[in-house]
Amino acid sequence: MRTGKGVTFISLNDGSTLAGIQVVAEPELENYAEVSALGTGSAVAVTGVLQESPAAGQELELKALSVEVVGAADQEYPMQKKRHSFEYLRTIAHMRVRSNTFGAVFRVRSALAQEVHRFFAERGFLYVHTPIITANDCEGAGELFRVTTLDMDNPPRVEGEIDFGQDFFAKATGLTVSGQLEGELFAQAFSDIYTFGPTFRAENSNTARHAAEFWMIEPEMAFADLSDDADLAEAFLKRLCRFALDSCDEDMRFFNAQIDKGLIERIEGVARASFARMDYGEAIERLKKAPVSFQFPVEWGLDLQSEHERYLTEQVVGGPVFIMNYPKDIKAFYMRLNDDGRTVAAMDLLVPKVGEIIGGSQREERLEPLIGRMMEVGIEPESLSWYLDTRRWGSTPHAGFGLGFERLIMYLTGMENIRDVIPFPRTPRHAEF
């Protein structure tokens, strides 16, 4: 609200666009005194005449004929006409969506989610809802949130161990870390499928890139190898980059101006690029010869850190790059063992400024090598007998990848903290709202 001599200007926004509209209220209104005293955050319904604006800043304005005060906001409304830090806004996540930045974030998030479905629908992929409650830890990292109805004060025990046989599902269950394993089952029946749903990691991490609850996009393709997997990942990311630039242009210009100068140029570069492909072994050699010192060591057999990934994409390639065929010991049991016996058909897509944005692999479709890998990493084959059945009966080469939806939004908006691209972030010690 701005009240001057004989006139009140209302900046009104319904969330549909970054730019609101200016409402001009004059003393002729029956309730002008009430209207001119309204506080920031109030809800109003305005009827009036849309007309060209004589003032700078907007082409059109609404000359009010009536203003109904639907819901007044008092002086304790937590967002006033000043710039608030993202840290402060996280403490009022129920209100922050009314700000310019978060309005732009969640409009882009909504539009991208719909485009994800369009991309796969156009290619004939089946959309699968995989379970949220699961008895398997797909990644084998033991980072599941437990789901139980047992009495936490006095759980039943057998030989000193908690007796999950008396739990709701008669076994230990948790929130899923991935829908991949179930997705593989569907790929063997429908050829091309994808999942897009919530996933959970009970990892006690407070970094700007980790959340305990996030959304994952996971396609799976039968009769596909690692090269096919990379082809799909490249087409997918390019499509989403192009869509954000073309269909979310107002919000993207805002991010480019206010959040990350150079964002549009960088996203445009990815949308136009031909993605390079580099073997893990070559990547390690390039890093060893780099004329810079890294915080983390570079040796064959070690996983790449963010600093390594960014060097490769920003300094070596100058654009997106797939790193392919990683050492088996740093990758999951389900990835296909290569003929050399020491690497697996895995890939990570690295992009400038962020590093890894997509991770995928060709899956091990052969029964005996898969059982061997499970035994190596300490997974009892009987615990995933249903998964092994697909290798016994009509197995095909297949491949897929995972893309964290929030990581994608961070990349496309320039927002630097995952807590600021999901409506109500779940992180260690935080489950408010």
Side-chain angles (χ1 to χ4, degrees), residues 7 42 46 114 128 149 168 181 194 207 213 298 311 348 380 392 398:
V7 65
S42 299
V46 182
Q114 295 173 67
V128 183
T149 57
F168 187 91
L181 300 188
Y194 73 105
T207 77
E213 176 184 288
V298 177
Y311 180 84
D348 287 336
E380 190 60 45
R392 292 188 176 95
H398 57 289

Side-chain angles (χ1 to χ4, degrees), residues 260-278:
D260 183 3
K261 290 177 173 55
L263 172 72
I264 287 178
E265 182 181 357
R266 189 170 67 252
I267 302 302
E268 190 76 58
V270 171
R272 290 196 307 260
S274 177
F275 293 12
R277 301 188 184 188
M278 183 186 299

Side-chain angles (χ1 to χ4, degrees), residues 163-421:
D163 181 11
F164 285 105
Q166 296 187 46
D167 207 350
F168 187 91
F169 295 106
K171 61 175 65 176
T173 55
L175 299 178
T176 185
V177 300
S178 169
Q180 179 200 312
L181 300 188
E182 293 87 354
E184 286 186 54
L185 311 185
F186 269 72
Q188 296 303 303
F190 297 95
S191 295
D192 295 336
I193 68 95
Y194 73 105
T195 76
F196 186 0
T199 49
F200 308 86
R201 300 278 168 91
E203 181 181 3
N204 190 15
S205 174
N206 284 286
T207 77
R209 290 166 60 85
H210 288 88
E213 176 184 288
F214 54 99
W215 287 67
M216 281 279 283
I217 302 157
E218 298 178 291
E220 199 74 32
M221 299 177 291
F223 304 101
D225 60 16
L226 189 63
S227 179
D228 299 319
D229 203 26
D231 289 344
L232 182 72
E234 179 172 347
F236 184 50
L237 184 60
K238 284 182 176 179
R239 167 76 169 264
L240 295 176
C241 288
R242 186 80 267 151
F243 174 81
L245 293 167
D246 294 347
S247 300
C248 306
D249 51 318
E250 181 189 34
D251 291 322
M252 292 296 286
R253 288 195 301 271
F254 169 82
F255 291 125
N256 191 71
Q258 301 294 331
I259 304 297
D260 183 3
K261 290 177 173 55
L263 172 72
I264 287 178
E265 182 181 357
R266 189 170 67 252
I267 302 302
E268 190 76 58
V270 171
R272 290 196 307 260
S274 177
F275 293 12
R277 301 188 184 188
M278 183 186 299
D279 202 73
Y280 168 88
E282 180 186 345
I284 292 296
E285 291 307 311
R286 295 285 193 103
L287 290 166
K288 282 185 172 181
K289 295 175 182 174
V292 298
S293 58
F294 295 112
Q295 179 184 350
F296 293 94
V298 177
E299 288 294 338
W300 197 97
L302 298 180
D303 210 354
L304 299 180
Q305 303 296 321
S306 291
E307 59 176 343
H308 308 143
E309 295 170 345
R310 289 193 58 177
Y311 180 84
L312 289 168
T313 185
E314 293 168 18
Q315 304 300 322
V316 176
V317 176
V321 57
F322 287 102
I323 305 299
M324 309 178 84
N325 300 310
Y326 282 78
K328 68 176 184 178
D329 293 337
I330 59 173
K331 289 298 182 180
F333 74 93
Y334 51 74
M335 297 184 178
R336 193 182 202 279
L337 191 65
N338 288 327
D339 292 341
D340 61 13
R342 67 176 194 154
T343 63
V344 289
M347 65 162 200
D348 287 336
L349 174 57
L350 315 181
V351 292
K353 193 182 180 189
V354 170
E356 181 197 343
I357 195 167
I358 289 176
S361 70
Q362 183 174 340
R363 317 311 189 187
E364 181 56 83
E365 86 280 10
R366 301 164 297 178
L367 180 62
E368 294 307 321
L370 180 58
I371 291 175
R373 283 290 292 139
M374 292 173 75
M375 299 291 282
E376 278 181 31
V377 301
I379 297 175
E380 190 60 45
E382 285 75 20
S383 68
L384 287 175
S385 60
W386 54 270
Y387 184 67
L388 294 175
D389 282 347
T390 62
R391 274 61 177 180
R392 292 188 176 95
W393 303 320
S395 180
T396 71
H398 57 289
F401 63 78
L403 170 60
F405 191 44
E406 284 74 23
R407 293 263 181 104
L408 171 72
I409 298 166
M410 290 170 67
Y411 184 64
L412 292 178
T413 63
M415 298 293 285
E416 294 190 339
N417 197 310
I418 195 169
R419 297 166 178 82
D420 297 328
V421 295

